Amino acid sequence: MSLPWLTLLIVVPLVGAVAAALVPRLAPASGDAAAQRSKQIGLGASLLTLVLGVAVAAQYEVSGGMQLAETHSWIGALGVHYALGVDGLGLLLVLLTVVLVPIVLLASWHDVEEEPGATGQRTAGFVAWALALEGLALAVFLATDVFLFYVVFEATLIPAYFLIGAYGRGDRGFAALKFLMYQLGGGLVLLGGVIGLYVVSAQAGTPSYLISDLQRLDLGQDAERWLFVAFFVAFAVKAPLFPLHTWLADTTERATPGTSVLLVCVLDKIGTFGMLRFCLGLFPEASQWATPVVVTIALVSIVYGALLAIGQDDVLRLIGLTSLSHFGFITLGIFAFSSQGGSGSILYMVNHGIGTAALFLVAGYLIRRRGTTRISEMGGMEAATPVLAGMLLIAGLATLSLPGLSPFVSEMLVIIAAFDQHWWVGAVAVSGIVLAAIYVLWAYQRMMTGPPPEDAGSTGSARTLDLGARELAAIVPLVVLLIGLGLYPRPLFEASNPYVADLMTHVGVQDDAPAVTQPAAEPAAAPEEQ
Amino acid sequence: MEPAAFVKPTIEYAQLWPVFLVFGVACVGVLLEAFLPRGRRAVPQLALAVAGLVAALIGTVVVASRSGVLPGGQARGRITAEGSIAVDGPTLFFWGLILVFALGGALLFAERRLDGGVSAFSGQAAALPGSDAERRTQHLEQTEVFPLLMFAVGGMLLFPASNDLLMMFVALEVLSLPLYLLCGLARRRRLLSQEAAMKYFLLGAFSSAFFLYGVALVYGFSGTMTFAGIDQAVRNDAGNRVLLLLGIGLLSVGLLFKVGAVPFQSWTPDVYQGAPTAVTAFMSAGTKIAAFGAILRLYYVAFGADPSMWQPMLWIVAIASMVVGAVLAVVQTDVKRMLAYSSIAHTGFLLTGVLGAQSLTDLAPGQVTSVQAVLFYLATYGCAMLGAFALVSLVRDASGEASSTARWVGLGRRSPLVAGVFAFFLLSMAGIPLTAGFVGKWAVFTVALSAGAWPVVVVAIGSSIVAVFFYVRQIRLMFFTEPVGEVATVTRPSALTSATIAVGLAGTVVLGLVPGPVLDLAAHAGQFIR
């Protein structure tokens, strides 16, 4: 035990954020040069964070449990600790975050446009807010104290708010406000739950917010159920689930694609992360009590999100709504109360993060080239930009869970768990796959095939050229991950299985972990329950 | 009948000297007004006021360090001045807060750079607006404001310390009368300012009369003015209960008027808007702190034996204040009025803490008590309000301060620092984590929930969501909205205002990140003594 690795992991991006924000002020240069410099600082800081994340993963022992723990008293009077730790669930989401942020920065390199005569502050702001979001999101995934979790959970909203409000298109101020109101509303409900936990814990003896202390408490049935509801509502806004999802499409439509990646692929994972960590972790009995309602909400989200996605003409809205469907799947897996469901949902979080990020970024490339977000106004780009089209196809196929790509593994596990629960739950869930095929392939068809647009190729303008090196450098790692983890998902299982095994013991379910020795195409061969 | 022999009262100067010092400085200030030529008064008056406040602050610390713990270990301090003033832990905490915010107020009063070299106060208060007399006196300096401030501070120090009903009434008047005057002294917008003073005076006089009637009725019930005697009478249930209940109700009218609780809130927006902004800043923080001190002492000490007499009333008042304050703030188009309505909502949150009173036997050791929560909340609230109003005084257009929200549009682009700090104060008032307001909100909600007042907490969370809306809307307006028409700009203040803002900002940051020491100090203050 030497370095506080987890603290470093949180601090590095935050320091990078401050540095990137101050560069245009401290070292006056022309707007472009200052902007360039803050982008380089941002990329450097995020790459350093990636290295730290990998270092943490290298030290992580696959046996499970909370590792690299750091615990210091923070506010003694309230029983609040600055407590960090990483387990399988946290590790995977940390890795997802540290991988996605440099990719987003790289992909958004030219997305922030400076006003004429500006000093590069707008660019610096984007980089700084993105890094701040990364640092706070990492803190969320590493916190092992409920109060600390709540603090950083809410604090992530500030960078997110400015990212949406300052850098999107259209009426982004409205979108940012709607986003924030939903999130803070959920957050305040969660505050009620956090306060309730303190009261229960204080009455049981010494107040403490450590998860490990809270898990030992006997909450009593009524208190546990009320607390569960408070936590679940907040996470259902975050994730989001029907009917609390209406902020999602409005936000992704107006935010830049890079911001959307940070929001949907990183920040929204906090919702499903929280369901596992807190709803199941602290209130196992209440979670089982609420399962019928939660499963219904999840199924409605799957189908309703997919149907809405089919009807969209705005590609960014479409991608946002597909995520509603995906979060339905993740929630379904979590509340299946089986090892397949648990592991499936954790893998789903990772795979959805990678696949949807790829989709958002490729869509962003396309929008830059066509100057529109309307699917009906695109079309015919396949011939002019074959690489772009190929990337879009791979990302799209990942979203519909094509076998061989990593989302397939997790989706199958969730669906198996759903069938184990009830045949009709599985049946409804499967319909989500069919609908996914429709929205992905139909959108691809309208965006890429058909007669080429009149300006494509003929003018040879930069707008219609195929992907450049920087854009490829951002998107290729995601595609490699999608294919690689599709063929060899074992590392994911090694991280998630011990965590899920512990969780299942905690909630009182006994079954076997999904087998991981088989390559991707065979997870269906995982042992049946019982 | 032979008149009773006069017995000289004992005055414990060792405990009370900070208060006497403040009153003494106020009297010396009046003498300075009489003997110094008009042009040379400003600097000595400011120096005297600051020196007096600093000395009183040091005195408070000295008295606190010497106050011994009473038997039982829950309280410290002693009853002084023949039982009419209690210098105990909470009193000393209130003194510290009031003196710190009064220092900020004194610095704001002395600001002369903002309005082109003259202070914000009218040259001659008696001059009719628009008359020749006003034009002739335009360039004159008004320095009576400093003695007035000191008298008000003296009253504020006495108010939470008063241990019998007469002393409480005297303190109420001593703190109110100078404030009525100060409100009418604005140099710009004289009519608005005079209207505010008139309204405040009339309604204040009314509420004082109610208070006095309440004093009479409670005396009729208990036959004594001291809180200890009233407490005994309540415990023995000796006397006419109708008198007691009516008395409590009428006393509450007087006190709830001072804190601006619904239904006695109607003066707040008009006075906050019309008064010179420096006065508003001082008054919003100081009056509320002093009056909550008095409320706590009256309810806990005099009527603490049977909380059921006043708790239901506070439930209704707290709920009404939170809802009315938050909802009406949404429709405001003036920044000062918006802050005024938000202060009404904050009164509701504070009352939520007050009604969370529980006997110590019901609390776990180390659990947050309601006195502790309210003390902490007042500290956070004072920092944010003082700082926010100080910032309002910087935003000006050709006609002086521009408090209309329409003029604030786009301020974040023109002056990112001022707008950023203002946004931070708003976030603290909204209770976003990592700011002081969050910990304060957490504390008062916790004690209310712990005392079983969950319906109040539910309403509090609901109105917090509404409150977040108008705070965030203001932030959106400053940062993301395109300015149309005439807009305000930021005037560079002198070090006086800057220092006040810096102290408010530092308090808001530190109390948000490391609330432990102040929470412990509030816990150390212990309970009220009888």
Side-chain angles (χ1 to χ4, degrees), chain A residues 74-75 77-78 147 150-151 154-155 158 161-162 165-166 173-174 177 180-181 184-185 188 191-192 195-196 198 202 205 209, chain B residues 364 366-368 416 427 432-434 438 442 445-446 449-450 461 464-465 468-469 472 475-476 479-480 513 515-516 519-520:
Chain A
W74 175 20
I75 313 173
L78 315 184
F147 191 94
Y150 182 76
V151 166
E154 291 280 274
I158 296 169
Y161 175 71
F162 281 96
F174 163 77
L177 188 62
L180 196 65
M181 287 313 297
L184 283 175
L188 281 164
L191 177 64
I195 287 171
Y198 173 83
Y209 265 128
Chain B
Q367 196 175 345
V368 176
L427 290 177
I432 306 295
L434 296 179
F438 167 66
W442 183 93
F445 289 5
T446 305
L449 192 65
S450 179
I461 286 177
S464 300
I465 297 175
V468 161
F469 172 73
V472 172
I475 297 177
R476 174 189 167 193
F479 285 95
F480 302 146
L513 291 179
L519 273 173
D520 290 342

Side-chain angles (χ1 to χ4, degrees), chain B residues 376-398:
Chain B
F376 188 84
Y377 197 106
L378 284 169
T380 68
Y381 168 84
C383 286
M385 275 287 167
L386 189 73
F389 276 115
L391 282 169
V392 169
S393 72
L394 307 186
V395 180
R396 310 177 80 89
D397 59 15

